Amino acid sequence: MKAVLFGASKGMGRALARLMAARGDRLFLIGRTPEDLERSARDLEIRGAPTPVMTAFCDLLKPESFAPALDQAERELQGFDTVVVTAGMFAAQEEMETDPELAARVLAADFTGTVLFCEEARRRLLPTGGGTLCVFSSVAGERGRKPVILYGAAKAGLSKYLEGLDHKFRARGLRTVCVKPGFVKTGMTAGLKPPPMAGEPEAVARRVLRAIDRGRPEVYAPAAWRGVMCIIRNLPRFVMRKIEF
Amino acid sequence: MTLQPHRSKLTGWGRFPVVDGLVLKSEDLPAATEGATLSRGLGRSYGDSSLPAGADLPVADATLADRLLGFDPASGMLRAEAGASLFELNRVFLRRGWFVPVSPGTQFVTLGGMVASDVHGKNHHVDGCFGEHVRGLKLRVADGRIIECSDTAEQELFRATIGGMGLTGHILEVEFPMRQIPSPWIWGESQRIEDLDLMVAGLKEAAREWPMTVGWIDCLARGAKLGRGILMKGRWARADEAPKKPPPLKGRLRVPFQFPGIALCKPNMKAFNLAYYWKHIQRVRRGIVHPDAFFYPLDALDDWNLIYGRRGFTQYQCVLPHTDGNGPARRFLERFVSAGGMGFLCVIKDCGAEGKGMLSFPRPGISIAMDFPIHPTKTPALVDRLNELVIAEGGRIYLTKDTFTRPEHFRAMEPRLEAFNAVRRKWDTKVRIRSAQSVRLLGDPA
């Protein structure tokens, strides 16, 4: 597998990259902070990724950075068959309600930026016969919920976009994997109280990698969230208005 | 976005004391340590070493900073972020034929913690502490600067940091050589031993031939049986005697809930110690052993500290110099039993030479460690009585395990404290970096 990883220096992206490194996949890292990417590249090399693991700058809030980053990846890897996007932004609902600029950034990164990046990736994957586009959305996009209205709206849009891609391009070989993590204990959620079914990044990564290998269009991680979200999706509005979940 | 601290209940492995602390947790350790007064790793020190001096003093959680930054297969030299755990290192390197030069009795520790505690292992009599092998450290000192220190650069700071309980600065990166091993399996031999004299003699004799030794003793046995137990010896198996397959990753069981206090009543402890002793029905056993079973027997049970119930537990570990043969160890065990001590696990080990860490624990002599549940009044009194004996014998205690020692007792057993404090003050005039333990024992402001 030759994979471009966007956002592999932290959290679930880091855990997934390590599993891929351990089995010898060729990796190319893109992200916002060059020094940080370099450190992750060394980490992945020591864990078994074929050397050298190269890196390039890419920022969800700078769509002009998408094409050059993917071009460079294409050159260094001599073509790639997998693109994984774990990059994203999170902010608390209350914070975004009082800070429209922050809300704008989160919406731009998690929806517009991610979708435009996927478009660039799709354009490069399709001519070579397809491959896999794995993108981390969220269970927050499953239902309009009080604690994650804005973040959830961006992720809902992203999930629907990925579903559309899958419908249109699967026949041409592009396998779209939409990952819907529930609560996972990472740096991003360090300040939040973990619910009973909170997952560990490594277990989530193992599940996601299996979904990538099998080309599953949708994966909940940890698995228990599939059932939880099935209930949440079917709760009547009067209940959703009452509860704080 | 700047990193925001969050509230979290913090304890050491003994689950006492508990602090509702302010935690800064991020993959970016330099950012997390910027506003922190202490760093902590996986929280495996038993008492208050990894707890902040106050509920509003932020502590940096290093566990997400776990990247390996460089490895040279020719020399084995490894550089890694301080939050990398020994568990991860074993997972990555054991199959490839590399192991850390010194390993403590659990793999759920971070490299930063291994340096701060200057951990020792079953090979102490040959290889010394972990700190002996550390080539360099990247440290954030109290004034915010990030400094590289080693035996050639800022040597004083380097030596104070090894075994310095995190009080000299935040450890960001650690560099040390991994060691090549002939196979990832252990060739082990264990032996049932009838009393203390035979145990100490056995340890000494084994030390001449075996690179790794340790003893377990039944700390409830008295009289002629005092100090009876099991002596364990091991070395890395040669490629031709080891199984062809690498050791499988072992499944771990989890203690599902906090046990009620009654679980550790005297009859149960007696039964446990007796069973452990007589499980070893043959006098000697030999063979290939899984490295996890040899180095980390208790790691097979996740959250085993919950067995000690609501009040938590502590470990007492001291090292006693050889003055009159086995006298010190005998007097210690006798005092433990007579002072009403009741231990679950008791580990005995002969230590080699003192290390370079200014406040490092081991010194030549016999080290004894025992776990016991905390009783609000009896435990501090027991620790006092044990400390009085350790002072009289010229020994010292291991800060990583300590929860109850009085400052005057600690000063009496640590003539090195003055020099350590001098280095600390030089780098941290306002005593910014401190812990609950340094407030209790070193007189730092709360």
Side-chain angles (χ1 to χ4, degrees), chain A:
Chain A
M1 193 179 272
K2 291 199 274 187
V4 181
L5 309 180
F6 189 179
S9 64
K10 289 192 165 74
M12 289 181 273
R14 178 185 285 189
L16 181 59
R18 284 177 173 174
L19 292 183
M20 296 173 85
R23 65 182 204 179
D25 291 340
R26 287 206 60 193
L27 306 175
F28 187 90
L29 310 185
I30 59 179
R32 264 188 315 173
T33 329
E35 315 88 76
D36 195 45
L37 288 177
E38 281 305 316
R39 289 164 76 92
S40 283
R42 300 295 85 76
D43 181 60
L44 296 169
E45 285 171 358
I46 297 169
R47 288 163 190 270
T51 51
V53 173
M54 308 281 271
T55 67
F57 172 80
C58 194
D59 184 345
L60 280 177
L61 291 172
K62 298 198 171 91
E64 66 278 11
S65 67
F66 300 164
L70 287 169
D71 286 342
Q72 200 185 329
E74 219 155 25
R75 279 196 305 276
E76 302 291 356
L77 294 175
Q78 287 150 339
F80 51 78
D81 50 39
T82 303
V83 175
V84 181
V85 185
T86 46
M89 249 184 101
F90 179 80
Q93 177 64 20
E94 309 83 72
E95 257 181 279
M96 288 194 276
E97 280 172 8
T98 55
D99 184 350
E101 242 174 79
L102 177 65
R105 281 213 307 280
V106 170
L107 292 173
D110 290 346
F111 182 71
T112 319
T114 309
V115 168
L116 292 178
F117 177 82
C118 291
E119 286 292 289
E120 282 292 340
R122 170 185 66 81
R123 276 196 280 277
R124 285 168 172 74
L125 286 167
L126 277 173
T128 62
T132 305
L133 176 60
C134 171
V135 184
F136 277 56
S137 184
S138 169
V139 294
E142 298 284 274
R143 187 83 200 259
R145 289 195 285 122
K146 291 176 185 174
V148 284
I149 302 172
L150 289 158
Y151 176 76
K155 291 295 192 184
L158 176 61
S159 296
K160 288 291 177 278
Y161 161 76
L162 294 167
E163 188 185 345
L165 275 192
D166 179 60
H167 293 161
K168 180 163 181 186
F169 296 111
R170 171 127 334 209
R172 288 168 58 188
L174 181 67
R175 311 198 297 178
T176 307
V177 180
C178 175
V179 183
K180 295 178 177 175
F183 192 102
V184 181
K185 294 178 198 158
T186 63
M188 190 177 96
T189 59
L192 310 171
K193 199 177 154 55
M197 282 164 306
E200 294 291 339
E202 197 188 314
V204 167
R206 244 183 271 122
R207 202 169 147 76
V208 171
L209 190 55
R210 213 162 41 233
I212 290 175
D213 288 341
R214 295 179 185 169
R216 288 243 180 85
E218 181 186 73
V219 55
Y220 289 85
W225 285 85
R226 171 183 287 282
V228 174
M229 292 325 291
C230 181
I231 296 168
I232 299 282
R233 271 197 309 273
N234 290 299
L235 285 177
R237 271 181 188 265
F238 75 88
V239 177
M240 290 302 287
R241 288 196 191 109
K242 286 259 157 57
I243 59 176
E244 293 303 314
F245 181 75

Side-chain angles (χ1 to χ4, degrees), chain B residues 381-422:
Chain B
L382 172 64
V383 170
D384 280 348
R385 301 246 4 236
L386 296 176
N387 280 336
E388 284 156 13
L389 183 125
V390 169
I391 293 165
E393 299 284 356
R396 62 168 83 122
I397 57 153
Y398 191 8
L399 287 177
T400 302
K401 310 292 175 74
D402 185 57
T403 314
F404 293 104
T405 293
R406 297 167 188 274
E408 59 271 25
H409 283 163
F410 185 63
R411 278 196 298 272
M413 55 180 92
E414 271 304 352
R416 305 173 300 172
L417 193 55
E418 196 85 11
F420 174 77
N421 275 336

Side-chain angles (χ1 to χ4, degrees), chain B residues 247-281:
Chain B
L249 276 183
K250 284 200 150 185
R252 304 202 302 268
L253 296 172
R254 176 171 290 276
V255 175
F257 53 84
Q258 186 173 290
F259 279 32
I262 192 79
L264 288 182
C265 62
K266 199 156 192 172
N268 279 1
M269 292 243 222
K270 270 222 149 100
F272 173 85
N273 278 292
L274 210 65
Y276 198 94
Y277 181 73
W278 285 113
K279 197 179 69 149
H280 206 284
I281 191 88

Side-chain angles (χ1 to χ4, degrees), chain B residues 190-242:
Chain B
S190 59
Q191 199 179 337
R192 187 157 47 80
I193 303 281
E194 279 80 13
D195 69 27
L196 184 67
D197 290 333
L198 290 171
M199 177 62 85
V200 176
L203 277 168
K204 292 207 170 306
E205 197 192 311
R208 280 195 289 274
E209 286 170 41
W210 296 81
M212 295 179 273
T213 62
V214 71
W216 166 85
I217 45 187
D218 174 354
C219 39
L220 295 178
R222 313 165 173 237
K225 292 178 191 159
L226 184 87
R228 73 173 182 185
I230 318 276
L231 172 62
M232 282 161 269
K233 308 171 252 188
R235 59 171 171 77
W236 291 102
R238 290 190 312 270
D240 61 302
E241 33 180 38

